[in-house]
Amino acid sequence: MPDGFAAKNASPRDETSRLGRGTTVTPRVALIGANGHGRWHRRRIAELRAGGIVSLVGLADVQPIDPAPDVPAFTDHRELLTATQPDVVVICTPPHTHLPIALDALRAGCDLLLEKPPVTSPADHETLLTALQSTGRSCQVGFQALGSVAWSRFRDALSPKTTGLTAVASWKRDDTYYARSPWAGRRMVGGRPVVDGALVNPLAHAVMQALAAGAAAGAGRPRQLEVERYRVRPIEVEDTAFARITFETGLPLLVAVTLAGEDFIAGEIEARGPDGTAVLEYPTDRLALPGSGHTDSARLDSGLPGSEAARSDLAGFEAPDSGLIEVPGRTDLLADLLRHRAEGTPLLVPLEATADFTAVLEALTMPEAPEPQLLNSSTVAVEGPNRTIPGINALLRRAAAELRLPSELGVPWATTPYRRRLPVM
């Protein structure tokens, strides 16, 4: 799960009333990857545990677990599986380790809550899907924003009349973010692709949410990727990216995101059509639908980052009047998995639903994909550990408004787009 998220509007007692457990045996839950973001999962499991919904039987991490747990701790996940025999395993480890750990857990008879991104290639996706089918187990993927009421209302407003989709987010990550682990900011570790670029890790929710919107609009599968990727420090992956994805019907999706942003843009999915514009701010569950007062995105005639005059021109290209209203309600994905086990209800985010995301991920991480363009000091403002691209927020919004990439907008530092046909999965 990326920074900035939290389970909303859920309490252990509420979940107890809705789980409808069909068995008297309390599910045994284990967590593999208990540090870092794993602490968020620890807190959520603790809430369910306090409500008598689950029992926590063990934690695993290759590093000493902090804070120290009150259950058995392991450094090897296989030892945890053998010693504790869990029913459900939450996997919150580096993405390139997900598949082998998931396969071990399935062999041990466990259902899975697998953090995003689930796997790093369509081949791994098929391997895991085959294992799920052969073992009869279930896998929920941790794209938790797909469990919100706001998303369901946004999705229901989509139709084949949709003419364009966009996703925009502007976050800021400093030097310490890329020192958080040996794989941070890397493309490969131990011969396996590492998934840490802005599009596929911290802002993967924006990509997944937008792809799901395309499917909900009846656009079919994504077929073409055109992407420009940039970095403001000497890392191996992008911190700023513009990607245009074209679906089978020709519907365009423009994703514009950065980790070197100015003012914070939490994450917005926008759908345009003849009846107006729908906007979902997915991290906060805020929504505006056509007719609710949200104005369509403005268009810029000129002005691009690269000079003080151009930045001045872009200064007025800001977020449209929001008209966004919070829509309460988000289903916790672990609770949803438990309900699925007890009652057979459909999972909110089964592995199958992430196939398109994994196809895009692989295209971005293949060896032949060019390295992100390293921006120079004339384009990047440096202040201590922070690096910002002046004018980037206005460029994100212009690219989204016009469904065009920076190179098509004449941005001086723009690179040539990388184009790839996406596989049929």
Side-chain angles (χ1 to χ4, degrees):
M1 183 187 73
D3 300 339
F5 278 96
K8 300 173 66 174
N9 308 296
S11 70
R13 297 300 177 188
D14 291 339
E15 295 296 344
T16 299
S17 65
R18 294 191 291 119
L19 283 172
R21 291 181 298 239
T23 164
T24 58
V25 178
T26 302
R28 298 164 58 83
V29 175
L31 170 62
I32 300 173
N35 289 314
H37 178 60
R39 296 187 184 99
W40 183 91
H41 285 288
R42 289 180 67 179
R43 291 192 293 271
R44 182 58 188 142
I45 293 169
E47 293 172 357
L48 296 173
R49 186 185 183 191
I53 297 170
V54 302
S55 62
L56 178 62
V57 297
L59 305 178
D61 202 287
V62 295
Q63 299 295 330
I65 297 175
D66 180 33
D70 60 353
V71 295
F74 304 82
T75 56
D76 189 318
H77 72 273
R78 291 161 294 192
E79 293 180 3
L80 175 146
L81 294 170
T82 299
T84 66
Q85 298 184 340
D87 301 306
V88 175
V89 171
V90 180
I91 300 174
C92 187
T93 59
H96 59 285
T97 69
H98 283 182
L99 181 62
I101 295 174
L103 294 177
D104 286 339
L106 291 176
R107 280 190 285 265
C110 306
D111 291 313
L112 310 177
L113 173 56
L114 183 59
E115 259 301 347
K116 61 84 192 160
V119 289
T120 60
S121 71
D124 286 357
H125 177 97
E126 289 301 318
T127 296
L128 182 53
L129 190 60
T130 298
L132 289 165
Q133 293 167 345
S134 64
T135 59
R137 306 320 310 175
S138 300
C139 178
Q140 178 103 282
V141 180
F143 285 108
Q144 70 276 358
L146 292 173
S148 74
V149 174
W151 157 248
S152 66
R153 293 185 183 175
F154 179 85
R155 179 192 61 206
D156 291 346
L158 301 173
S159 78
K161 295 181 180 179
T162 301
T163 58
L165 294 169
T166 65
V168 174
S170 179
W171 294 8
K172 187 181 290 291
R173 293 293 178 266
D174 63 17
D175 292 342
T176 60
Y177 177 79
Y178 295 99
R180 70 190 191 279
S181 69
W183 56 274
R186 301 281 302 280
R187 288 183 64 152
M188 302 284 290
V189 169
R192 291 185 61 86
V194 174
V195 183
D196 197 40
L199 286 169
V200 293
N201 193 12
L203 292 167
H205 286 276
V207 177
M208 180 64 198
Q209 207 90 9
L211 289 171
R221 310 295 294 274
R223 285 292 170 257
Q224 179 75 23
L225 171 70
E226 304 166 272
V227 62
E228 298 177 17
R229 299 188 298 163
Y230 305 94
R231 51 197 169 124
V232 298
R233 50 176 59 82
I235 54 178
E236 298 174 5
V237 298
E238 83 279 354
D239 52 50
T240 301
F242 300 79
R244 185 168 55 217
I245 297 169
T246 305
F247 292 86
E248 286 174 324
T249 63
L251 178 70
L253 159 64
L254 197 292
V255 180
V257 298
T258 187
L259 301 178
E262 299 166 311
D263 293 338
F264 180 61
I265 303 172
E268 301 168 1
I269 310 299
E270 181 175 290
R272 304 171 197 158
D275 298 325
T277 300
V279 178
L280 171 66
E281 191 175 74
Y282 66 86
T284 63
D285 296 339
R286 297 200 305 157
L287 177 67
L289 297 176
S292 65
H294 189 287
T295 58
D296 288 348
S297 293
R299 300 293 192 265
L300 270 187
D301 293 326
S302 62
L304 297 164
S307 69
E308 290 303 320
R311 289 169 191 161
S312 177
D313 287 340
L314 279 171
F317 194 74
E318 301 169 347
D321 295 338
S322 71
L324 295 170
I325 298 174
E326 183 174 0
V327 180
R330 182 176 285 202
T331 300
D332 177 78
L333 294 185
L334 178 55
D336 184 67
L337 174 59
L338 297 173
R339 184 181 301 105
H340 168 77
R341 284 172 46 88
E343 302 176 4
T345 53
L347 290 172
L348 282 170
V349 195
L351 180 69
E352 297 91 324
T354 66
D356 290 343
F357 175 85
T358 300
V360 172
L361 182 155
E362 182 189 53
L364 293 168
T365 57
M366 295 183 75
E368 58 264 36
E371 283 193 348
Q373 176 89 347
L374 180 61
L375 301 180
N376 60 36
S377 58
S378 66
T379 306
V380 179
V382 180
E383 184 177 353
N386 296 301
R387 303 189 185 204
T388 303
I389 305 172
I392 187 61
N393 280 31
L395 179 58
L396 297 175
R397 293 206 177 277
R398 180 180 181 186
E402 301 188 16
L403 299 172
R404 293 200 289 170
L405 303 172
S407 62
E408 298 166 338
L409 295 170
V411 175
W413 43 261
T415 188
T416 301
Y418 169 64
R419 295 180 170 91
R420 186 170 184 85
R421 189 76 175 166
L422 296 173
V424 177
M425 292 181 63

